[in-house]
Amino acid sequence: MNLVPDTSNTRILVVGDVMLDRYWFGEVSRISPEAPVPVVKVERVEERPGGAANVARNCAALGARVALLSVVGADEAGLSLARLMNDSGIECSLHEDAKLSTTVKLRVIGRQQQLLRIDFENSPDHEVLQAKLADFESRLADCDVVILSDYGKGGLAHITEMIALARAADKQVLVDPKGEDYARYAGATLLTPNRSEMRQVVGRWKDDAELERKAMRLREELQLEALLVTRSEEGMTLFSAGAVAHEAAVAREVYDVSGAGDTVIATLAVMLGSGLSLPQSMRQANLAAGIVVGKLGTATCSLQELKTARP
């Protein structure tokens, strides 16, 4: 039995880009006469929260009390997201922007394989984001850990101010980063780039020693407490002041890696907020990631699954 702390009083504030993940499941039995593509006869439609909403759902699945702050469009997808969040017991503050289309990722699945993904998205209005910043500041007193989930959709235009406000309130700030400009994340407690995101920022490395040098330099430049690099089949490595800790990947059949990064940062936040150290929290995050990659689509790891997980 994996020893997991009591998470019932842990309060997490998740801020970032939300999206709605739609899945069309169907049978494929022929190729289209119009083009060399499979014809999918859709038999089932499913909707799941994506992006920062999936991070929030993962925190809630681990027993924490969760608030989600984001921007959506005044549309059917935004209403669906609010309903899904409410069903998961998550307190939501979804600011509406009439000029915005809620980000939707539509995946077409045939024979348990993803055949196509279609994205619908645009960027939020500046005034709506400014209102979100004021809402963020008012919610800081009622949380233990802040997660900033950046999917590059424009929902975190004020991330530098958010980090400064949270750190001034003595809150731990975990950031799932995007893009090449990591300067905007300076002062956060922890960043969780994956292997390819890390390469975008520091360039390639030939071995673990070179990765350590580059990671430590980046950590110091950005004044982070730690940097956690998720490395797919190579596991994950935590770089903190004068120390490097590594967790090997949990050997399981990988079914779908989408949303695994959401599970990692959510588990880290909940475990840190529940009193575990960073290396202990990374161990739990690694186990949780091993569970969700065995599931189709954006998924969660429950507290019970984590308790019974074996490395």
Side-chain angles (χ1 to χ4, degrees):
M1 180 73 84
N2 180 31
L3 292 175
V4 177
D6 179 11
T7 60
S8 59
N9 293 315
T10 305
R11 303 164 303 167
I12 309 293
L13 174 59
V14 181
V15 189
D17 299 307
V18 295
M19 54 197 74
L20 184 67
D21 286 342
R22 279 203 170 112
Y23 296 86
W24 288 359
F25 296 94
E27 281 300 310
V28 178
S29 57
R30 64 193 179 98
I31 300 299
S32 170
E34 301 161 6
V37 293
V39 175
V40 182
K41 185 186 175 194
V42 176
E43 295 173 339
R44 180 166 60 92
V45 175
E46 199 173 308
E47 293 183 338
R48 299 180 193 175
N54 187 45
V55 175
R57 195 171 66 124
N58 269 271
C59 292
L62 290 168
R65 290 189 281 163
V66 191
L68 172 66
L69 179 55
S70 190
V71 181
V72 294
D75 52 23
E76 172 266 338
L79 290 172
S80 289
L81 259 179
R83 186 187 69 251
L84 288 166
M85 292 290 95
N86 189 52
D87 290 348
S88 298
I90 293 162
E91 183 195 339
C92 265
S93 182
L94 298 176
H95 293 253
E96 281 192 2
D97 179 355
K99 300 177 205 162
L100 180 72
S101 295
T102 302
T103 298
V104 175
K105 292 185 177 179
L106 170 61
R107 296 171 176 89
V108 181
I109 315 286
R111 292 180 182 166
Q112 298 302 303
Q113 285 189 316
Q114 188 178 145
L115 303 176
L116 179 68
R117 194 181 95 182
I118 305 167
D119 291 2
F120 306 85
E121 62 189 36
N122 61 2
S123 294
D125 185 282
H126 181 77
E127 289 164 24
V128 179
L129 294 173
Q130 195 65 49
K132 194 170 78 165
L133 186 61
D135 195 356
F136 173 79
E137 193 169 4
S138 70
R139 288 174 177 272
L140 280 174
D142 196 34
C143 76
D144 301 307
V145 182
V146 175
I147 299 176
L148 300 174
S149 179
D150 192 353
Y151 272 80
K153 309 298 182 191
L156 286 171
H158 301 291
I159 193 166
T160 305
E161 294 98 314
M162 286 179 169
I163 291 169
L165 287 166
R167 297 303 273 158
D170 204 25
K171 306 297 180 183
Q172 296 186 90
V173 182
L174 278 56
V175 182
D176 192 355
K178 267 289 178 291
E180 297 175 11
D181 178 22
Y182 277 20
R184 56 204 295 264
Y185 307 129
T189 307
L190 173 78
L191 296 191
T192 61
N194 62 33
R195 191 167 50 189
S196 61
E197 288 165 344
M198 187 69 173
R199 278 199 199 111
Q200 256 190 301
V201 176
V202 303
R204 295 187 171 274
W205 53 87
K206 64 179 183 295
D207 54 25
D208 284 357
E210 187 178 5
L211 170 59
E212 182 179 337
R213 284 194 301 274
K214 291 188 170 198
M216 288 299 196
R217 191 182 311 128
L218 181 64
R219 190 190 67 78
E220 287 162 15
E221 283 171 6
L222 298 178
Q223 297 179 295
L224 310 170
E225 282 184 28
L227 184 69
L228 177 78
V229 183
T230 57
R231 304 168 64 187
S232 300
E233 74 284 352
E234 295 175 339
M236 52 182 71
T237 309
L238 180 70
F239 302 93
S240 52
V244 179
H246 184 76
E247 287 288 329
V250 179
R252 278 197 178 83
E253 186 177 351
V254 176
Y255 191 63
D256 190 343
V257 297
S258 60
D262 298 338
T263 300
V264 168
I265 198 166
T267 309
L268 281 169
V270 173
M271 295 302 135
L272 284 170
S274 303
L276 293 193
S277 68
L278 257 175
Q280 288 171 327
S281 299
M282 174 178 66
R283 191 163 302 123
Q284 299 297 343
N286 192 47
L287 288 171
I291 289 164
V292 297
V293 296
K295 301 178 181 182
L296 176 64
T298 45
T300 61
C301 168
S302 71
L303 198 58
Q304 189 54 39
E305 285 175 312
L306 190 58
K307 284 177 179 175
T308 56
R310 283 190 171 83

